[in-house]
Amino acid sequence: MINEDGSFTGLAVEALRDLAARAHLDLQMVPISNDAFRAGPGEGGYDMLPQAGISDERRNRFEFTRPIETEWVSMFVLRGRAAGRAGLDDFRGRAIGVASANIGQRIAEAEDGIDTVVYEDQPALLQGLLRRDVDAVLVTESSFWRAIDTQGVAERIERLRPPVHETERAVALRRGLGVVRERLNAVLPAYLASADYRAHRDRWLGDEISIWADRRVRLVILTAVGALIAFAGLFVYSAFRRRHQIVRERRRYAAEIAEHIPIGLLIISPEGQIDFANREIREKTPDGKETLVEGHSYRSAIKSLIDRGLVDTQGRDPGDMLKVMTEDGLADGYSEEFRLADGSGVFLRTTKRLKSGSALIVRQDITDYRRQVQQIEALNDDLEEQIRHAEVANQELRAFAYATSHDLKAPTNTLMMSLEALAENLESKLEADDAELIDVAKRTVDSMRTLIDDILTYTNTIGSTPECEPVDLNKVASDVIEALRADIEVNAAEIKLAPLPRLKASPTQMHQLVQNLISNAVKFHRPDQAPAIDIEATEAPPGYVAFKVRDNGIGIAPEQQSKVFELFARLNRRGDYAGTGLGLAICQRIVLNHGGRIDLQSTPGDGSCFTVLLEEETNDPPSHAS
């Protein structure tokens, strides 16, 4: 507890002060941060903690005196929800609230299947339980009961038995203070049996230690029975006054919170009168200070607002609107939005019936929230329109590229046939230089045909929705290796194929993807070493599959790796390696069509590894990818 003057108090603090006085120690109490508290006493920090739970992990970091208290960590639920539940196992899959830096947080987070919600302190934790944000809370009993008593909600809370955890608490000291620890240990037994300690427990925990446990004290008490009887009346009167003062302070505290909370609160009595209206609801209701007056008729106040046109009736007859707000709107669980007539505010109005029969109306200003929702909806509409335009443009570009490539293919085929016929007709008449020119022309036309084929392949993958069916990548890879058999044998390549996953995808595009990756691995090998290629599955997140194609080829420099998936990207001289620069661009497009990605790891002179991640089942691939 922190007093108004900034000083500290509480059971652990007062107990440590008493112990220090008895052990002739001069202590200075200082505030510390949550992080420092969790770290514990240590060099460069603070020297001791009034009380801390004893655990094996903490014994490794600092030392403890003899135990002072036994602390229980228990589950608390709203009353009526404890049936059939006894511990954490009964709350798997549910939300459990814990207080920050509390042992309950460590226990809950160590359990599998528990959804842990962390609150800043115990009052906030209690409010989370009362609002039903969590199904239960896991917390130390003594401090949580204090929060329950402070807020006066004991009748709404129920504790589960047995406790989840039991731990002993003691003064914690940094290592190197052995003499101080022993001095505290020496005075602990007598202090724990003293009236001073019992008084502190009675004040802070309300569970005074039984004095009948000590025979010598019992003898003293038996001899002083007469004196106790004489003072019994005074004691009862003092206890009554103390209890009355506590209740009055709690009510004042609750009233202050209700008055200043930034949510409108209105209590209507069973007779229809206004019992309470806090500042928020008075200030945000037109003429609220004059209409929402305690003791006045709630129906008359609402009728006045409707008759003066201050409430948006949402197209209803004024009489119907009055009935909605003063009859239907007072039913338990009623919830509806309404607006002020001038458009200055939008409110969510919720009603809760209290045990007394009164109706608690909670009114929350959601004007900003509704404005943000409208802005988001407008942005979504704009985004959808832009997507539609992009899809149309994408389809037009795809159609243009396909038509252009298709129209170019026929002339190149014709040109190739003409060159071959010319070479055949003039075979015996051509000079060597002329024959070489025809061969150059044929190779150029063949490169053009390859380029056109790659452009058609890439065009077919842009913006297309794959026709998906079950695909076995093992069979795909085997078919590709067989199709590339001539290139593999010419280059003396060695390919190791490990088991690959199955997925639902486009068989044609999967064949093209694997073919391009293996073809590249065979093509870009080092002149002095035959290609060695490994194809294997690798780990993937749930809902995905992944495989790798690794080679021992020339590798790719780090500064060039970001360019390999670009259109027409050629990282080597044109004469060194054949190709159009579209192979990896096609691979990336196919992977995107199947909701995945392709990554590259490579070291110059030490080969490359392409990792492909694909959705296990492509349900709705993006049709507007660009």
Side-chain angles (χ1 to χ4, degrees):
M1 298 290 292
I2 303 177
N3 299 319
E4 293 182 357
D5 62 359
S7 60
F8 314 107
T9 187
L11 175 60
V13 173
E14 299 303 333
L16 182 56
R17 284 183 174 139
D18 288 350
L19 286 170
R22 289 168 180 252
H24 303 291
L25 298 174
D26 184 15
L27 301 184
Q28 178 185 3
M29 296 285 184
V30 297
I32 59 174
S33 65
N34 284 339
D35 290 340
F37 173 83
R38 283 189 285 267
E43 291 291 342
Y46 58 95
D47 295 318
M48 66 178 68
L49 200 61
Q51 279 191 39
I54 302 175
S55 66
D56 292 337
E57 185 273 332
R58 285 180 170 175
R59 286 187 185 277
N60 293 329
R61 294 190 289 120
F62 39 84
E63 298 179 333
F64 291 90
T65 64
R66 301 175 190 266
I68 295 178
E69 296 280 346
T70 298
E71 181 181 73
W72 291 275
V73 180
S74 295
M75 305 283 295
F76 290 79
V77 297
L78 293 177
R79 190 166 296 279
R81 295 192 170 191
R85 293 172 173 171
L88 279 172
D89 288 341
D90 298 322
F91 288 87
R92 295 193 183 279
R94 298 183 177 274
I96 300 296
V98 296
S100 175
N102 186 274
I103 188 173
Q105 179 182 1
R106 297 196 297 274
I107 295 173
E109 290 178 346
E111 290 288 329
D112 294 331
I114 299 295
D115 181 11
T116 304
V117 181
V118 182
Y119 292 84
E120 180 180 0
D121 50 35
Q122 311 239 4
L125 178 63
L126 177 57
Q127 287 302 312
L129 178 61
L130 294 174
R131 290 195 305 266
R132 303 174 189 264
D133 294 339
V134 293
D135 299 286
V137 298
L138 181 63
V139 67
T140 51
E141 284 190 13
S142 58
S143 55
F144 197 62
W145 278 124
R146 185 170 186 82
I148 291 172
D149 289 339
T150 301
Q151 299 191 29
V153 293
E155 72 281 0
R156 300 179 58 187
I157 306 298
E158 189 171 358
R159 174 183 54 186
L160 300 186
R161 279 302 187 208
V164 174
H165 181 76
E166 178 179 332
T167 185
E168 292 182 319
R169 298 179 63 85
V171 177
L173 305 93
R174 67 173 172 83
R175 296 193 178 278
L177 295 181
V179 174
V180 174
R181 185 188 70 246
E182 295 306 317
R183 289 170 67 177
L184 291 174
N185 282 339
V187 299
L188 256 172
Y191 175 67
L192 294 180
S194 70
D196 290 343
Y197 184 62
R198 289 198 298 273
H200 287 321
R201 287 186 59 89
D202 185 39
R203 176 187 177 191
W204 295 105
L205 301 182
D207 59 350
E208 183 177 0
I209 299 174
S210 175
I211 58 176
W212 300 101
D214 189 325
R215 292 183 178 180
R216 289 176 298 175
V217 176
R218 186 192 314 174
L219 180 62
V220 173
I221 292 176
L222 288 175
T223 61
V225 167
L228 286 176
I229 294 175
F231 285 99
L234 179 61
F235 175 78
V236 171
Y237 175 72
S238 299
F240 173 79
R241 287 194 60 186
R242 184 169 64 249
R243 180 64 181 172
H244 179 71
Q245 183 178 0
I246 292 173
V247 171
R248 184 172 57 188
E249 182 64 21
R250 288 174 182 170
R251 288 177 177 174
R252 183 196 65 78
Y253 182 64
E256 185 175 353
I257 291 176
E259 177 66 14
H260 293 91
I261 193 171
I263 296 176
L265 299 177
L266 187 66
I267 298 179
I268 309 302
S269 71
E271 296 75 28
Q273 292 182 327
I274 300 173
D275 278 352
F276 175 77
N278 72 344
R279 183 174 63 181
E280 175 76 9
I281 203 166
R282 292 196 307 270
E283 291 182 351
K284 291 195 176 180
T285 299
D287 298 332
K289 294 181 180 179
E290 290 75 30
T291 55
L292 302 180
V293 178
E294 295 179 7
H296 286 193
S297 167
Y298 174 66
R299 180 182 177 87
S300 298
I302 298 302
K303 186 176 186 302
S304 172
L305 294 174
I306 294 174
D307 290 345
R308 287 187 290 158
L310 299 176
V311 176
D312 183 2
T313 61
Q314 304 173 23
R316 296 186 177 103
D317 179 81
D320 292 339
M321 189 66 180
L322 179 63
K323 178 178 180 298
V324 167
M325 297 189 71
T326 60
E327 296 180 24
D328 301 342
L330 296 182
D332 188 50
Y334 176 86
S335 180
E336 187 175 355
E337 292 183 17
F338 74 93
R339 300 171 180 269
L340 298 180
D342 61 2
S344 61
V346 183
F347 300 92
L348 176 62
R349 184 178 186 270
T350 306
T351 303
K352 174 67 177 177
R353 277 286 179 177
L354 306 179
K355 291 183 178 180
S356 63
S358 298
L360 171 63
I361 297 175
V362 179
R363 198 183 74 180
Q364 188 172 1
D365 188 342
I366 59 171
T367 307
D368 292 339
Y369 169 75
R370 282 295 170 213
R371 186 181 300 115
Q372 292 169 1
V373 169
Q374 291 174 356
Q375 292 174 349
I376 291 172
E377 289 174 348
L379 289 172
N380 283 339
D381 290 341
D382 291 342
L383 180 59
E384 289 177 359
E385 184 65 22
Q386 293 176 18
I387 290 174
R388 284 194 292 270
H389 288 315
E391 288 176 343
V392 171
N394 209 12
Q395 291 171 0
E396 291 176 352
L397 287 171
R398 182 168 172 264
F400 173 77
Y402 182 83
T404 303
S405 301
H406 188 272
D407 290 346
L408 286 173
K409 191 169 184 179
T412 55
N413 289 338
T414 301
L415 181 56
M416 177 60 79
M417 293 172 60
S418 300
L419 287 171
E420 289 176 347
L422 179 62
E424 184 178 349
N425 292 336
L426 301 177
E427 183 177 3
S428 60
K429 303 176 183 179
L430 289 174
E431 298 290 338
D433 291 344
D434 296 331
E436 177 63 23
L437 287 174
I438 292 178
D439 287 339
V440 170
K442 287 168 64 178
R443 289 196 299 272
T444 302
V445 173
D446 190 58
S447 297
M448 290 176 61
R449 288 199 303 184
T450 301
L451 177 59
I452 292 169
D453 287 340
D454 283 350
I455 291 175
L456 284 172
T457 300
Y458 184 79
T459 302
N460 285 331
T461 63
I462 295 177
S464 65
T465 301
E467 303 239 348
C468 296
E469 59 185 72
V471 174
D472 183 357
L473 288 178
N474 294 287
K475 185 176 185 310
V476 170
S478 297
D479 291 346
V480 167
I481 292 172
E482 188 60 35
L484 297 175
R485 180 63 60 189
D487 286 344
I488 293 172
E489 292 178 354
V490 166
N491 291 282
E494 179 185 353
I495 299 180
K496 293 181 181 179
L497 178 59
L500 297 177
R502 298 170 180 264
L503 74 161
K504 192 172 182 181
S506 165
T508 302
Q509 292 192 14
M510 289 299 102
H511 189 280
Q512 186 70 51
L513 170 65
V514 175
Q515 178 174 299
N516 286 4
L517 291 174
I518 296 178
S519 178
N520 272 9
V522 173
K523 181 196 308 182
F524 294 103
H525 67 274
R526 287 179 282 178
D528 58 343
Q529 189 172 18
I533 303 164
D534 292 323
I535 307 170
E536 61 183 354
T538 187
E539 292 183 359
Y544 289 83
V545 298
F547 67 93
K548 293 181 177 180
V549 178
R550 183 185 294 106
D551 63 57
N552 64 340
I554 61 174
I556 302 170
E559 65 273 12
Q560 293 183 317
Q561 292 179 12
S562 61
K563 303 177 183 179
V564 296
F565 299 109
E566 296 178 1
L567 292 173
F568 305 108
R570 297 180 63 89
L571 307 183
N572 304 284
R573 291 181 300 178
R574 187 173 298 273
D576 292 343
Y577 298 95
T580 62
L582 283 172
L584 290 177
I586 293 172
C587 290
Q588 185 180 57
R589 175 52 55 188
I590 291 172
V591 170
L592 291 175
N593 286 348
H594 290 77
R597 70 171 188 267
I598 180 169
D599 297 322
L600 166 65
Q601 295 85 38
S602 183
T603 302
D606 197 28
S608 301
C609 179
F610 288 90
T611 303
V612 176
L613 180 73
L614 301 167
E615 281 189 351
E616 194 168 12
E617 182 171 349
T618 307
N619 294 319
D620 187 19
S623 60
H624 51 78
S626 59

